[in-house]
Amino acid sequence: MSLFCFLFVPLFYLFRRSFSGGGGSGGVWALLLGSLNAIFQFSLGYFINPGGFGFSRWLYGFVDIVSLPVIVPVLLYALLTFFRIFRGTADFANFTLLWLIPVAALRSITWSVNSNAILLVLVPVLWTALAVGISFFIGIVMTHSRWYITVFITICILALLTAAALAYWAFFSQQTLLGLSLLCASILPAVISVLLDIFRAGT
């Protein structure tokens, strides 16, 4: 399971890049900043102290485990792209996936102590689903910049982030059916994005 946590994100990155073309701008910075972030997180520890199976456990999943680790590189990349610090084609998914590679590598070591399948298997899948899914939604906004589309897509992104954290909470709470449903909902935008990229690459 530790090996899965260590390899899933970089292998998915290579898989996606094989049909999506270039890696987008800022790849080297993504690895560098992601490494610094991983060390910072390790030194700082967790922000939330989860207490059982209630709201604090979901909040712990959202802030420390699943959602916030993906939100940070997405927002940073948006900021750097807005100020034109990176040249070339913007690719939120590839930047976020590269950022998460050192994070996943360090977590594979720290989480391997307890051999928790939820952390070592589920979380890397959710990270990847969020990175690609959020990028998919951002691409829609960049293509169709009407205000109501932006509002709707913002709601979709927030719902995606919430569902991913809930999936972690449900599996932790041993509500497997609910967890599977939320997992499917969390990965659906990423699956659609990958299928569309494969279709474009083949045409």
Side-chain angles (χ1 to χ4, degrees):
M1 289 187 295
S2 298
L3 191 61
F4 182 91
C5 183
F6 183 79
L7 293 177
F8 184 80
V9 176
L11 289 178
F12 188 91
Y13 166 79
L14 293 174
F15 164 72
R16 185 178 182 274
R17 186 169 179 177
S18 67
F19 54 78
S20 65
S25 57
V28 175
W29 280 106
L31 285 172
L32 177 60
L33 294 173
S35 299
L36 293 175
N37 175 69
I39 296 171
F40 177 75
Q41 286 183 345
F42 177 76
S43 302
L44 195 62
Y46 297 122
F47 292 105
I48 306 298
N49 182 24
F53 301 91
F55 175 74
S56 62
R57 174 62 59 175
W58 174 84
L59 189 62
Y60 168 73
F62 188 95
V63 173
D64 288 317
I65 305 298
V66 179
S67 301
L68 189 61
V70 179
I71 296 173
V72 171
V74 169
L75 292 179
L76 179 62
Y77 191 62
L79 183 65
L80 295 175
T81 302
F82 177 79
F83 287 107
R84 301 184 183 277
I85 294 177
F86 294 147
R87 302 292 182 181
T89 304
D91 192 325
F92 283 81
N94 280 350
F95 182 89
T96 306
L97 289 171
L98 284 171
W99 171 292
L100 289 170
I101 288 175
V103 177
L106 187 58
R107 291 304 189 191
S108 69
I109 298 173
T110 58
W111 288 343
S112 64
V113 176
N114 297 322
S115 297
N116 189 325
I118 297 174
L119 295 176
L120 293 171
V121 177
L122 176 66
V123 171
V125 173
L126 290 173
W127 282 345
T128 304
L130 289 177
V132 179
I134 292 174
S135 177
F136 171 68
F137 285 131
I138 293 175
I140 295 175
V141 172
M142 294 174 67
T143 305
H144 307 282
S145 57
R146 295 178 179 86
W147 69 268
Y148 53 88
I149 294 178
T150 302
V151 171
F152 175 72
I153 292 301
T154 301
I155 294 172
C156 289
I157 292 175
L158 292 175
L160 181 63
L161 292 167
T162 303
L166 281 171
Y168 162 80
W169 170 84
F171 278 106
F172 183 86
S173 303
Q174 298 182 355
Q175 301 185 45
T176 306
L177 184 59
L178 176 60
L180 287 173
S181 301
L182 291 166
L183 175 61
C184 290
S186 299
I187 66 175
L188 181 60
V191 171
I192 294 173
S193 177
V194 168
L195 292 177
L196 288 175
D197 286 341
I198 292 175
F199 176 76
R200 295 190 192 102
T203 56

